[in-house]
């Protein structure tokens, strides 16, 4: 009887281990956060990288929000929606308790682009607005294989929607207001604060130094190695496009 | 007099040691994981609600362009009614029948919606309508958020259930939290795996 119980305990332990491994395998390998522009697919010239990095630095200095542009050579078989929110969480883009981060992700091999929006920006950068930016500012250039212009125009439009006018680019016609988008962020924020409070009990002290580092690194060229995420989180908001 | 003081000090010291040992071996893990699983669950509910809120507008817009799709539209309206009218019991997370019912209703609504969106592909006027495009992108975004919320919930429940089922969490729960029960989690239903069929 006792032995049976041990066998059962061992089996359930093994089952848990298997599930844990399955979950670990499902997550793709993410690129390193080397700066505000992570061009692992080599779609941008050095000049464009420097220019866009400058915008993103100016944007963060003015609004405390973080936007990162990332191009990847492969999505590793993951849908870009799954890849995007996990990447955002892994890097922790955006202010910690406000989740004010966004990513522009380009996967040229899969011909997929996505604007991934942190919880805290979902009210301004709604799914419909994200779709409009992709359709109007990014895809036309991508269809002509002009990745640099698509990324540059898309980033500029995105920053303008988020209240920063320092980047020149085409105007995007924003679709009619989304009544849900106005309430939803507050609900998300409330739930999220609870979640963060629950989680943060275990690991204090890590984020303040990180945040200080990231704000101190604001004026170095190319974002430098000192750029880091502020600890924001993502819940699948945004839009994707294909060409 | 001195005797009682020493005794009291000893009891206090013992209590302090016991508290420290208990918290070190995770006596608070059960309620902590319980709370995070519940928070993840409210996010799931929240996203399903958001989807339900988008549907009336979507149905009205599609109806304006595609009156002949009455059956598909009615199916969506009915599935939505069934999903939103379900009384969600307070113990849904530990109540397998209610949880299964909830999941079935939402999956049903999901596939009715997917069918509707497939049908709309045949109406170019509808597809170029700005309002429709906006609704469609919001719906896609909401489906994506539902996926994320469900996945976060599954992960949170996995942590909680593992704590309840393994030692020492199992002993701790037996001692301090006898009411703690393993929670239900999402399974991928056969219905959800099936691609929506289109009839011409």
């Amino acid at each position: 009887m006792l032995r049976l119980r041990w066998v059962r305990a061992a089996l359930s332990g093994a089952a848990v281990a298997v599930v844990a491994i399955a979950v670990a395998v499902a997550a793709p390998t993410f690129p390193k956060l080397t700066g505000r522009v992570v061009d692992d697919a080599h779609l941008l010239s050095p000049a464009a990288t420097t220019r866009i990095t400058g915008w993103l630095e100016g944007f963060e200095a003015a609004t405390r929000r973080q936007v990162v542009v990332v191009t990847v050579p492969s999505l590793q078989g993951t849908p870009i929606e799954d890849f995007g929110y996990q990447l955002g969480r892994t890097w922790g883009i955006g202010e910690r308790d406000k989740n004010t981060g966004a990513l522009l992700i380009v996967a040229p091999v899969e011909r997929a682009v996505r604007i991934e929006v942190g919880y805290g920006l979902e009210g301004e950068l709604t799914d419909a607005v994200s779709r409009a930016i992709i359709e109007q500012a990014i895809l036309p250039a991508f269809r002509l294989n002009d990745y640099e212009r698509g990324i540059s125009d898309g980033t500029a439009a995105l920053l303008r929607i988020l209240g920063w006018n320092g980047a020149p680019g085409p105007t995007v016609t924003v679709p009619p207001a989304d009544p849900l988008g106005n309430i939803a962020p507050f609900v998300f924020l409330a739930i999220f604060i609870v979640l963060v409070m629950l989680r943060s009990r275990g690991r204090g002290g890590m984020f303040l130094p990180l945040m200080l580092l990231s704000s101190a690194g604001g004026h170095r060229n190319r974002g430098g190695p000192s750029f880091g995420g502020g600890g924001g989180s993502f819940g699948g908001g945004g839009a994707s496009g294909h060409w | 007099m001195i005797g009682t003081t020493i005794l009291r000090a000893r009891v206090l010291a013992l209590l302090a040691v016991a508290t420290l040992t208990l918290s070190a071996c995770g006596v608070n893990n059960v309620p902590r994981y319980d709370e995070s699983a519940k928070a993840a669950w409210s996010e799931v509910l929240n996203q399903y609600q958001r989807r339900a809120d988008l549907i009336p507008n979507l149905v009205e817009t599609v109806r304006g362009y595609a009156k002949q799709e009455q059956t598909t539209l009615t199916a969506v309206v009915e599935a939505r009614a069934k999903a939103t009218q379900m009384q969600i019991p307070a113990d849904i997370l530990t109540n397998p029948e209610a949880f299964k019912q909830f999941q079935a209703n939402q999956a049903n609504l999901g596939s009715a919606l997917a069918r509707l969106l497939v049908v709309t592909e045949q109406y170019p006027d509808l597809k170029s309508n700005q309002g429709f495009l906006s609704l469609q992108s919001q719906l896609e975004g909401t489906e994506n958020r539902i996926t994320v919320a469900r996945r976060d919930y599954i992960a949170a429940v996995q942590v909680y259930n593992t704590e309840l089922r393994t030692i020492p969490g199992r002993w701790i729960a037996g001692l301090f939290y006898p009411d703690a029960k393993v929670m239900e989690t999402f399974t991928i239903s056969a219905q959800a795996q099936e691609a929506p069929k289109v009839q011409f």
Side-chain angles (χ1 to χ4, degrees):
Chain A
M1 197 53 211
L2 193 73
R3 192 180 284 174
L4 200 84
R5 195 177 274 184
W6 276 110
V7 169
R8 215 196 286 160
L11 274 179
S12 69
V16 167
V18 166
V19 169
I21 288 166
V23 167
V25 166
T29 325
F30 294 113
K32 280 207 179 68
L33 182 60
T34 49
R36 290 166 207 271
V37 177
V38 181
D39 187 21
D40 285 3
H42 308 293
L43 300 179
L44 299 170
S45 64
T49 306
T50 309
R51 188 177 72 240
I52 297 173
T53 304
W55 294 347
L56 298 175
E57 279 175 8
F59 170 71
E60 186 181 347
T63 62
R64 310 185 60 84
R65 298 166 165 185
Q66 292 184 323
V67 171
V68 171
V69 174
V70 50
T71 72
V72 288
S74 165
L75 292 171
Q76 300 154 54
T78 318
I80 195 164
E81 292 80 13
D82 288 357
F83 189 88
Y85 89 94
Q86 293 182 61
L87 180 64
R89 286 184 181 183
T90 305
W91 283 352
I93 300 304
E95 283 174 276
R96 183 161 158 64
D97 289 339
K98 295 185 181 166
N99 305 305
T100 47
L103 300 175
L104 173 64
I105 306 164
V106 182
V109 174
E110 288 85 355
R111 302 183 88 79
V113 56
R114 177 161 178 82
I115 294 178
E116 190 72 45
V117 183
Y119 285 107
L121 296 181
E122 286 183 349
E124 287 162 76
L125 199 54
T126 60
D127 302 343
V129 170
S130 306
R131 159 85 77 98
I133 294 173
I134 289 174
E135 297 281 346
Q136 296 170 35
I138 299 177
L139 291 185
F142 278 15
R143 291 195 182 105
L144 304 171
N145 284 325
D146 192 349
Y147 293 112
E148 190 169 299
R149 187 163 61 84
I151 292 171
S152 181
D153 286 357
T155 310
L158 198 155
L159 295 180
R160 236 170 308 128
I161 295 285
L162 293 176
W164 191 71
N165 293 315
T171 342
V172 169
T173 324
V174 175
D178 156 19
L180 259 174
N182 297 334
I183 333 159
F186 295 103
V187 182
F188 298 145
L189 205 70
I191 289 171
F192 208 75
I193 286 170
V194 171
L195 264 173
V196 164
M197 275 163 65
L198 284 167
R199 281 189 192 160
S200 61
R201 283 187 204 168
R203 44 160 175 151
M206 261 292 286
F207 279 91
L208 196 63
L210 251 177
M211 267 167 69
L212 288 175
L213 260 177
S214 69
S215 55
H219 291 289
R220 284 178 211 177
N221 60 341
R222 285 208 175 202
S226 58
F227 172 68
S233 190
F234 293 71
S240 316
H242 300 269
W243 70 94
Chain B
M1 199 52 202
I2 295 168
T4 47
T5 317
I6 290 175
L7 193 73
R8 207 175 275 169
R10 270 189 193 165
V11 168
L12 275 177
L14 248 172
L15 266 177
V17 169
T19 317
L20 277 176
T21 331
L22 281 175
S23 56
C25 70
V27 74
N28 286 323
N29 283 354
V30 173
R32 186 179 299 155
Y33 297 154
D34 177 64
E35 284 307 320
S36 57
K38 280 180 183 152
W41 172 248
S42 40
E43 177 69 11
V44 171
L45 284 182
N46 188 16
Q47 296 305 339
Y48 276 128
Q49 184 59 48
R50 187 186 158 106
R51 178 171 77 176
D53 291 345
L54 285 170
I55 291 173
N57 255 335
L58 180 79
V59 167
E60 278 319 303
T61 313
V62 174
R63 191 171 275 151
Y65 287 84
K67 285 202 179 64
Q68 50 278 53
E69 303 299 342
Q70 206 52 48
T71 352
T72 321
L73 285 166
T74 315
V76 172
V77 172
E78 278 169 3
R80 177 185 183 270
K82 213 173 158 198
T84 50
Q85 280 162 13
M86 179 189 172
Q87 293 287 330
I88 297 176
D91 69 340
I92 185 161
L93 297 185
T94 53
N95 177 340
E97 284 86 51
F99 194 86
K100 223 170 146 188
Q101 185 62 47
F102 175 84
Q103 200 183 338
N105 287 346
Q106 295 295 350
N108 195 21
L109 177 53
S111 46
L113 261 176
R115 270 194 301 272
L116 179 63
L117 288 179
V118 169
V119 162
T120 57
E121 292 291 315
Q122 303 164 44
Y123 298 87
D125 288 352
L126 176 59
K127 278 177 67 190
S128 57
N129 175 297
Q130 280 303 317
F132 175 73
L133 287 178
S134 164
L135 276 169
Q136 194 192 24
S137 61
Q138 288 174 60
L139 206 60
E140 280 168 11
T142 303
E143 292 289 354
N144 194 40
R145 288 187 185 88
I146 290 173
T147 311
V148 174
R150 279 171 56 122
R151 225 177 267 162
D152 288 348
Y153 173 74
I154 291 169
V157 167
Q158 194 201 330
V159 170
Y160 175 74
N161 285 355
T162 306
E163 182 72 13
L164 278 191
R165 281 179 171 152
T166 52
I167 289 161
R170 196 161 144 184
W171 295 339
I172 292 169
L175 233 112
F176 295 101
Y177 315 105
D179 295 339
K181 283 187 212 147
V182 293
M183 289 182 186
E184 292 299 310
T185 192
F186 289 109
T187 50
I188 300 168
S189 65
Q191 209 175 10
Q193 283 170 327
E194 240 174 70
K197 292 189 187 76
V198 203
Q199 288 165 348
F200 292 103

